[in-house]
Structure formats: structure tokens, C-alpha cells
Amino acid sequence: MPAQNAPPAGGGPTAPASPWAELSGTQRAIVLALLRHGRLSRPQIMSLVGISPGSVTRLTAPLVERGLLVTRPERASGAGRPPSPLELRADAESLVGVSVSARTLTAVLTDLRLNVLETARRPLPGHDPRRTDLPHQHKIQTIMTIS
């Protein structure tokens, strides 16, 4: 089995290791709950994911330390510690979506909440797949100009 950070077969650059790759299954469930529902209190996370209060703290603390999650303390409405819901840091990673139609290549860069950060559209010279006047390298550079 090849190493995770082994260079690709073509010898090109390696992709940086994703901070999401090391998450446990339960941490992934927490992140997915936060993606689906937005800001959540720890009791809400416990209910949605099915874990104990201690597990919420133990599993989310490393994610907060890595900057993947953030806490947003709220004003206390009474005695005791104010609640501090967790939310996914939308700018922790970016996503690229690409659409190829008969006449246009469109690439969109978004944050984790799918807020569009950049969009690039380039006309395609035609829709004949045998046409070779647009080198592959140019296609790759067109897509990468938005990142």
C-alpha cells in the first residue's frame, strides 16, 4: 500500500495532507452535523450524534485546537457558565466545483458553507472531442486560476 503523501504516479506535486483525513468516525459525524445544522450547542450535538457530554468535549477539543471548529460564547442568561456553541470554521478549507457544458467551462471556488468565493468561466472552442487546439495544460491552468 503506498504512503499517503507519496508523489502521484506522474511525478507531479503532492497534495497537502488534509486535516479532515485523521478524524475518527464520531468526529466526522460531529462535523457533518455542524455542516447540516450550522451552529450547535453541545447538548444538541450529543442528541444528534448520540454521544455523552464527556465525549463531546474530548472529540471536539482537538478540532477547536486545529482551527477546524470555533466556539462562539453567548451571553449568560442566568447563573453559571455561558453556553458556547460550536460551529464549523467555513474558511478552514475550500472546495472547487467544475462544470463543463458544450460551450463553457465553469469553475467555482467555495468555502465549506458553499459561499462562492470566486467564479471563472471560459468559453470552449467547440464540442468536438477530437479537437486538440486547446492543450490540456491550458485547461488545467484555466481551472486553477480561481484558487
Short mmCIF file of all heavy atoms in Angstrom, two decimals, residues 63-100:
data_model
loop_
_atom_site.label_atom_id
_atom_site.label_comp_id
_atom_site.label_asym_id
_atom_site.label_seq_id
_atom_site.Cartn_x
_atom_site.Cartn_y
_atom_site.Cartn_z
N LEU A 63 -10.38 19.49 17.54
CA LEU A 63 -10.82 20.17 16.32
C LEU A 63 -10.81 21.68 16.50
O LEU A 63 -10.52 22.43 15.56
CB LEU A 63 -12.23 19.69 15.93
CG LEU A 63 -12.37 18.17 15.72
CD1 LEU A 63 -13.80 17.81 15.38
CD2 LEU A 63 -11.42 17.67 14.66
N VAL A 64 -11.11 22.13 17.71
CA VAL A 64 -11.03 23.56 18.02
C VAL A 64 -9.56 23.99 18.02
O VAL A 64 -9.21 25.03 17.46
CB VAL A 64 -11.71 23.88 19.38
CG1 VAL A 64 -11.44 25.31 19.81
CG2 VAL A 64 -13.22 23.61 19.30
N GLU A 65 -8.69 23.17 18.61
CA GLU A 65 -7.26 23.49 18.66
C GLU A 65 -6.66 23.59 17.25
O GLU A 65 -5.80 24.42 17.00
CB GLU A 65 -6.50 22.43 19.46
CG GLU A 65 -6.75 22.49 20.95
CD GLU A 65 -6.16 21.30 21.70
OE1 GLU A 65 -5.34 20.55 21.11
OE2 GLU A 65 -6.54 21.12 22.87
N ARG A 66 -7.12 22.75 16.33
CA ARG A 66 -6.62 22.77 14.95
C ARG A 66 -7.24 23.89 14.12
O ARG A 66 -6.87 24.09 12.97
CB ARG A 66 -6.92 21.44 14.24
CG ARG A 66 -6.09 20.30 14.72
CD ARG A 66 -6.35 19.09 13.85
NE ARG A 66 -6.36 17.90 14.66
CZ ARG A 66 -6.93 16.76 14.32
NH1 ARG A 66 -7.57 16.65 13.19
NH2 ARG A 66 -6.88 15.72 15.12
N GLY A 67 -8.23 24.56 14.67
CA GLY A 67 -8.88 25.65 13.95
C GLY A 67 -9.96 25.20 12.99
O GLY A 67 -10.41 25.98 12.15
N LEU A 68 -10.41 23.96 13.09
CA LEU A 68 -11.46 23.47 12.21
C LEU A 68 -12.85 23.86 12.73
O LEU A 68 -13.77 24.07 11.94
CB LEU A 68 -11.36 21.95 12.05
CG LEU A 68 -10.02 21.44 11.54
CD1 LEU A 68 -9.99 19.92 11.52
CD2 LEU A 68 -9.72 22.00 10.17
N LEU A 69 -12.97 23.91 14.05
CA LEU A 69 -14.21 24.35 14.69
C LEU A 69 -13.91 25.59 15.52
O LEU A 69 -12.78 25.79 15.96
CB LEU A 69 -14.77 23.26 15.62
CG LEU A 69 -15.08 21.89 15.05
CD1 LEU A 69 -15.66 20.99 16.14
CD2 LEU A 69 -16.02 21.98 13.87
N VAL A 70 -14.93 26.40 15.74
CA VAL A 70 -14.79 27.57 16.60
C VAL A 70 -15.95 27.58 17.59
O VAL A 70 -17.03 27.05 17.32
CB VAL A 70 -14.77 28.90 15.81
CG1 VAL A 70 -13.50 29.01 14.99
CG2 VAL A 70 -15.98 29.05 14.94
N THR A 71 -15.69 28.16 18.75
CA THR A 71 -16.75 28.36 19.73
C THR A 71 -17.14 29.82 19.72
O THR A 71 -16.29 30.69 19.51
CB THR A 71 -16.29 27.96 21.14
OG1 THR A 71 -15.16 28.75 21.50
CG2 THR A 71 -15.92 26.49 21.21
N ARG A 72 -18.39 30.08 19.90
CA ARG A 72 -18.91 31.45 19.94
C ARG A 72 -19.66 31.62 21.25
O ARG A 72 -20.85 31.35 21.32
CB ARG A 72 -19.86 31.70 18.77
CG ARG A 72 -19.26 31.46 17.41
CD ARG A 72 -18.48 32.66 16.95
NE ARG A 72 -18.08 32.46 15.56
CZ ARG A 72 -16.94 32.83 15.09
NH1 ARG A 72 -16.07 33.43 15.86
NH2 ARG A 72 -16.64 32.63 13.84
N PRO A 73 -18.95 32.03 22.31
CA PRO A 73 -19.63 32.19 23.60
C PRO A 73 -20.80 33.16 23.50
O PRO A 73 -20.72 34.17 22.82
CB PRO A 73 -18.54 32.75 24.52
CG PRO A 73 -17.25 32.39 23.86
CD PRO A 73 -17.54 32.36 22.38
N GLU A 74 -21.89 32.78 24.13
CA GLU A 74 -23.08 33.63 24.16
C GLU A 74 -23.18 34.28 25.53
O GLU A 74 -22.61 33.80 26.50
CB GLU A 74 -24.32 32.79 23.86
CG GLU A 74 -24.31 32.20 22.47
CD GLU A 74 -25.52 31.32 22.19
OE1 GLU A 74 -26.26 30.99 23.14
OE2 GLU A 74 -25.71 30.96 21.03
N ARG A 75 -23.94 35.33 25.62
CA ARG A 75 -24.15 35.99 26.91
C ARG A 75 -24.95 35.09 27.82
O ARG A 75 -25.93 34.47 27.41
CB ARG A 75 -24.90 37.30 26.72
CG ARG A 75 -24.05 38.32 26.03
CD ARG A 75 -24.74 39.65 26.02
NE ARG A 75 -23.84 40.63 25.44
CZ ARG A 75 -24.21 41.76 24.93
NH1 ARG A 75 -25.48 42.10 24.94
NH2 ARG A 75 -23.33 42.58 24.43
N ALA A 76 -24.53 35.06 29.07
CA ALA A 76 -25.21 34.23 30.06
C ALA A 76 -26.59 34.83 30.35
O ALA A 76 -26.73 36.03 30.53
CB ALA A 76 -24.40 34.15 31.33
N SER A 77 -27.58 33.97 30.39
CA SER A 77 -28.93 34.45 30.69
C SER A 77 -29.27 34.19 32.15
O SER A 77 -30.38 34.44 32.58
CB SER A 77 -29.95 33.76 29.78
OG SER A 77 -29.87 32.36 29.96
N GLY A 78 -28.35 33.69 32.89
CA GLY A 78 -28.56 33.42 34.31
C GLY A 78 -27.24 33.08 34.96
O GLY A 78 -26.17 33.44 34.47
N ALA A 79 -27.32 32.36 36.04
CA ALA A 79 -26.10 31.95 36.76
C ALA A 79 -25.41 30.83 35.99
O ALA A 79 -26.01 30.13 35.20
CB ALA A 79 -26.47 31.49 38.16
N GLY A 80 -24.14 30.68 36.26
CA GLY A 80 -23.39 29.58 35.66
C GLY A 80 -22.61 30.02 34.44
O GLY A 80 -22.61 31.17 34.03
N ARG A 81 -21.97 29.04 33.86
CA ARG A 81 -21.13 29.28 32.70
C ARG A 81 -22.00 29.56 31.46
O ARG A 81 -22.95 28.84 31.19
CB ARG A 81 -20.28 28.03 32.47
CG ARG A 81 -19.22 28.18 31.44
CD ARG A 81 -18.29 27.00 31.50
NE ARG A 81 -18.28 26.35 30.20
CZ ARG A 81 -17.76 25.17 29.97
NH1 ARG A 81 -17.26 24.47 30.95
NH2 ARG A 81 -17.76 24.66 28.77
N PRO A 82 -21.67 30.59 30.69
CA PRO A 82 -22.47 30.86 29.49
C PRO A 82 -22.27 29.76 28.45
O PRO A 82 -21.17 29.19 28.34
CB PRO A 82 -21.93 32.19 28.98
CG PRO A 82 -20.57 32.31 29.56
CD PRO A 82 -20.59 31.54 30.86
N PRO A 83 -23.30 29.45 27.70
CA PRO A 83 -23.15 28.42 26.66
C PRO A 83 -22.19 28.91 25.58
O PRO A 83 -22.11 30.10 25.29
CB PRO A 83 -24.56 28.24 26.10
CG PRO A 83 -25.33 29.43 26.53
CD PRO A 83 -24.65 30.00 27.74
N SER A 84 -21.46 27.99 24.99
CA SER A 84 -20.56 28.34 23.88
C SER A 84 -20.75 27.31 22.77
O SER A 84 -20.03 26.32 22.69
CB SER A 84 -19.11 28.41 24.34
OG SER A 84 -18.72 27.23 24.97
N PRO A 85 -21.74 27.56 21.91
CA PRO A 85 -21.99 26.62 20.81
C PRO A 85 -20.78 26.49 19.89
O PRO A 85 -19.93 27.38 19.83
CB PRO A 85 -23.15 27.27 20.05
CG PRO A 85 -23.69 28.32 20.93
CD PRO A 85 -22.62 28.70 21.89
N LEU A 86 -20.75 25.39 19.20
CA LEU A 86 -19.67 25.12 18.25
C LEU A 86 -20.18 25.33 16.84
O LEU A 86 -21.36 25.12 16.55
CB LEU A 86 -19.20 23.67 18.39
CG LEU A 86 -18.47 23.32 19.67
CD1 LEU A 86 -18.40 21.82 19.86
CD2 LEU A 86 -17.07 23.92 19.65
N GLU A 87 -19.27 25.75 15.97
CA GLU A 87 -19.60 25.81 14.55
C GLU A 87 -18.36 25.51 13.73
O GLU A 87 -17.24 25.66 14.20
CB GLU A 87 -20.23 27.14 14.15
CG GLU A 87 -19.37 28.36 14.33
CD GLU A 87 -20.13 29.63 13.98
OE1 GLU A 87 -20.48 29.81 12.80
OE2 GLU A 87 -20.37 30.41 14.90
N LEU A 88 -18.60 25.05 12.52
CA LEU A 88 -17.53 24.75 11.60
C LEU A 88 -16.94 26.05 11.10
O LEU A 88 -17.68 26.99 10.78
CB LEU A 88 -18.09 23.94 10.43
CG LEU A 88 -17.13 23.35 9.45
CD1 LEU A 88 -16.24 22.32 10.13
CD2 LEU A 88 -17.90 22.68 8.33
N ARG A 89 -15.63 26.14 11.06
CA ARG A 89 -14.99 27.33 10.51
C ARG A 89 -15.05 27.22 8.99
O ARG A 89 -14.35 26.42 8.38
CB ARG A 89 -13.55 27.43 10.99
CG ARG A 89 -13.08 28.87 11.10
CD ARG A 89 -11.65 28.99 11.51
NE ARG A 89 -10.89 29.17 10.27
CZ ARG A 89 -9.73 28.62 10.02
NH1 ARG A 89 -9.14 27.85 10.90
NH2 ARG A 89 -9.12 28.84 8.88
N ALA A 90 -15.91 28.01 8.38
CA ALA A 90 -16.18 27.89 6.94
C ALA A 90 -14.94 28.07 6.09
O ALA A 90 -14.82 27.47 5.02
CB ALA A 90 -17.26 28.89 6.53
N ASP A 91 -13.99 28.89 6.56
CA ASP A 91 -12.79 29.14 5.76
C ASP A 91 -11.65 28.17 6.06
O ASP A 91 -10.52 28.37 5.61
CB ASP A 91 -12.33 30.58 5.92
CG ASP A 91 -11.91 30.92 7.34
OD1 ASP A 91 -12.18 30.13 8.27
OD2 ASP A 91 -11.31 31.99 7.53
N ALA A 92 -11.94 27.11 6.80
CA ALA A 92 -10.90 26.13 7.13
C ALA A 92 -10.42 25.37 5.90
O ALA A 92 -9.28 24.91 5.85
CB ALA A 92 -11.40 25.14 8.18
N GLU A 93 -11.27 25.23 4.92
CA GLU A 93 -10.93 24.54 3.67
C GLU A 93 -11.72 25.20 2.55
O GLU A 93 -12.68 25.94 2.79
CB GLU A 93 -11.32 23.06 3.74
CG GLU A 93 -10.51 22.22 4.67
CD GLU A 93 -9.19 21.76 4.11
OE1 GLU A 93 -9.05 21.66 2.88
OE2 GLU A 93 -8.28 21.51 4.90
N SER A 94 -11.33 24.91 1.33
CA SER A 94 -12.05 25.39 0.15
C SER A 94 -12.44 24.20 -0.71
O SER A 94 -11.80 23.15 -0.66
CB SER A 94 -11.16 26.32 -0.68
OG SER A 94 -10.78 27.43 0.07
N LEU A 95 -13.49 24.39 -1.46
CA LEU A 95 -13.96 23.37 -2.40
C LEU A 95 -13.97 23.97 -3.79
O LEU A 95 -14.24 25.16 -3.96
CB LEU A 95 -15.37 22.92 -2.04
CG LEU A 95 -15.59 22.41 -0.62
CD1 LEU A 95 -17.07 22.23 -0.34
CD2 LEU A 95 -14.85 21.10 -0.43
N VAL A 96 -13.70 23.14 -4.80
CA VAL A 96 -13.76 23.57 -6.18
C VAL A 96 -14.78 22.70 -6.90
O VAL A 96 -14.74 21.47 -6.80
CB VAL A 96 -12.39 23.45 -6.89
CG1 VAL A 96 -12.51 23.78 -8.37
CG2 VAL A 96 -11.37 24.34 -6.22
N GLY A 97 -15.69 23.34 -7.58
CA GLY A 97 -16.66 22.64 -8.41
C GLY A 97 -16.43 23.05 -9.85
O GLY A 97 -16.15 24.21 -10.14
N VAL A 98 -16.52 22.09 -10.77
CA VAL A 98 -16.29 22.36 -12.18
C VAL A 98 -17.46 21.84 -12.99
O VAL A 98 -17.94 20.73 -12.76
CB VAL A 98 -14.97 21.70 -12.66
CG1 VAL A 98 -14.75 21.93 -14.15
CG2 VAL A 98 -13.79 22.21 -11.86
N SER A 99 -17.92 22.67 -13.91
CA SER A 99 -18.98 22.28 -14.83
C SER A 99 -18.47 22.48 -16.25
O SER A 99 -17.93 23.53 -16.58
CB SER A 99 -20.23 23.15 -14.59
OG SER A 99 -21.18 22.94 -15.61
N VAL A 100 -18.67 21.47 -17.07
CA VAL A 100 -18.27 21.57 -18.47
C VAL A 100 -19.53 21.38 -19.30
O VAL A 100 -20.19 20.34 -19.23
CB VAL A 100 -17.22 20.51 -18.85
CG1 VAL A 100 -16.83 20.64 -20.31
CG2 VAL A 100 -16.00 20.62 -17.96
#
